[in-house]
Amino acid sequence: MYKKTLQATHPDMMRGADAASLADRYVVTDLFAPGEVNLTYAHNERFVIGGVSPQAEPIALPMQAKGAPFLERRELGIVNVGGAGKVTVDGEQFELNPKDGLYVPMGSKNVVFESVAAADAAKFYLISTPAHARFETKKISIDKAVPLERGALETSNERTIYQYIVPETCKSAQLLLGLTILKPSSVWNTMPPHVHDRRSEVYFYFGLKPDDRLFHFMGQPEEIRHMILANEQAVVSPPWSIHMGAGTSNYCFIWAMGGENQDYTDMNVLQLCQLK
């Protein structure tokens, strides 16, 4: 079922690690292949990170190895980063236009993905965490989401944050999810950086051109490292790590968190002078 498993890591493992080792431990690539479901398992918060791009035929979320539904004890967040698509959850169909989201609760048995047109196929980004309770299936349309304007052009981080799965708008067991869109000429995200010791986070970057790159910074504040990512790649941030990035152009990213609380503001914000 899983093409790769990412182990939980200790901060001491950052020391001496080369670029290839860091990417192997934290970066998720090749999320979208035509007509396939690609899933990666991460031991941090038991995240499942995935992508599905249906073509002419619908594609179903796979069952577990012993035949149980994938979401038997999990919840799922979905954001469409491709062409128009549809997701059917236990017979109820939801139309997802580009950047629309969907929350699928624990206990859902059949989840089916399809593209409206194979020539402009949908790309559904998937992020899942374990769940202990069932809530309502809910579509989150970007045109109805409340935008939070943050940053400034003068500091190269003017951006709009859309909170999709947060307690105020969409109840979940633990999953938090949102979409951030950087304005033209802005390239820095999550600046100043922060850590949240009670949650892990996954960033999925998209909207980059083929020749553009994203420099993602992670590690403990006193010893940070960087990795270079391309379009439609994800990176796992352990609870002990900062997470921030800068691109060679503006871009979008989906952030998702799992952990022991859902307080979006529970974080330790750092000053730039603390980074080394």
Side-chain angles (χ1 to χ4, degrees):
M1 175 184 291
Y2 302 112
K3 70 173 186 178
K4 186 176 182 180
T5 298
L6 302 179
Q7 303 294 332
T9 56
H10 190 278
D12 287 351
M13 297 174 67
M14 299 286 285
R15 297 173 185 163
D18 58 20
S21 297
L22 290 175
D24 187 60
R25 293 172 187 169
Y26 302 109
V27 177
V28 182
T29 63
D30 303 321
L31 281 163
F32 300 108
E36 296 181 8
V37 178
N38 287 312
L39 302 175
T40 292
Y41 189 95
H43 280 284
N44 283 104
E45 314 303 343
R46 307 291 178 177
F47 277 116
V48 172
I49 306 152
V52 53
S53 183
Q55 302 298 297
E57 300 295 328
I59 306 174
L61 194 65
M63 305 291 281
Q64 296 185 47
K66 294 186 178 181
F70 180 82
L71 296 177
E72 180 183 34
R73 298 289 300 275
R74 286 186 161 274
E75 57 189 357
L76 175 67
I78 303 169
V79 179
N80 183 10
V81 299
K86 301 176 183 178
V87 180
T88 303
V89 180
D90 292 339
E92 184 177 5
Q93 189 175 88
F94 300 87
E95 295 183 359
L96 296 189
N97 290 318
K99 297 186 177 69
D100 284 350
L102 182 69
Y103 170 75
V104 184
M106 179 188 82
S108 301
K109 295 180 173 61
N110 298 300
V111 182
V112 180
F113 306 90
E114 56 185 305
S115 295
V116 172
D120 185 21
K123 292 181 177 180
F124 299 104
Y125 173 67
L126 314 178
I127 188 79
S128 173
T129 52
H132 65 279
R134 178 179 172 86
F135 296 91
E136 294 183 6
T137 307
K138 185 170 183 177
K139 176 183 173 180
I140 309 101
S141 300
I142 189 169
D143 60 352
K144 296 180 180 179
V146 177
L148 304 176
E149 303 297 337
R150 295 290 185 269
L153 182 61
E154 291 78 7
T155 49
S156 302
N157 66 346
E158 188 177 12
R159 61 200 188 276
T160 305
I161 301 172
Y162 298 92
Q163 296 179 327
Y164 281 11
I165 303 174
V166 295
E168 294 78 12
T169 59
C170 177
K171 293 187 180 300
S172 66
Q174 69 163 311
L175 181 65
L176 299 172
L177 182 146
L179 167 66
T180 298
I181 301 175
L182 276 79
K183 302 288 181 67
S185 300
S186 287
V187 295
W188 279 101
N189 72 66
T190 323
M191 178 59 68
H194 60 260
V195 295
H196 28 69
D197 206 38
R198 301 168 70 187
R199 295 192 302 271
S200 299
E201 189 161 9
V202 178
Y203 276 14
F204 168 73
Y205 292 104
F206 70 104
L208 289 161
K209 297 180 178 64
D211 291 334
D212 284 323
R213 290 296 180 267
L214 192 293
F215 294 78
H216 182 87
F217 297 86
M218 66 171 297
Q220 293 181 299
E222 65 274 14
E223 195 171 353
I224 64 172
R225 304 289 299 275
H226 77 275
M227 294 174 289
I228 301 177
L229 278 68
N231 189 44
E232 296 180 350
Q233 293 184 344
V235 58
V236 177
S237 179
W240 46 262
S241 175
I242 70 158
H243 34 282
M244 65 180 187
T248 55
S249 72
N250 62 317
Y251 52 91
C252 310
F253 70 99
I254 297 165
W255 45 268
M257 291 182 277
E260 68 173 64
N261 74 7
Q262 293 184 309
D263 183 357
Y264 181 77
T265 63
D266 181 14
M267 63 183 74
N268 178 20
V269 178
L270 303 165
Q271 300 300 316
L272 290 179
C273 61
Q274 295 175 265
L275 305 182
K276 297 179 181 178

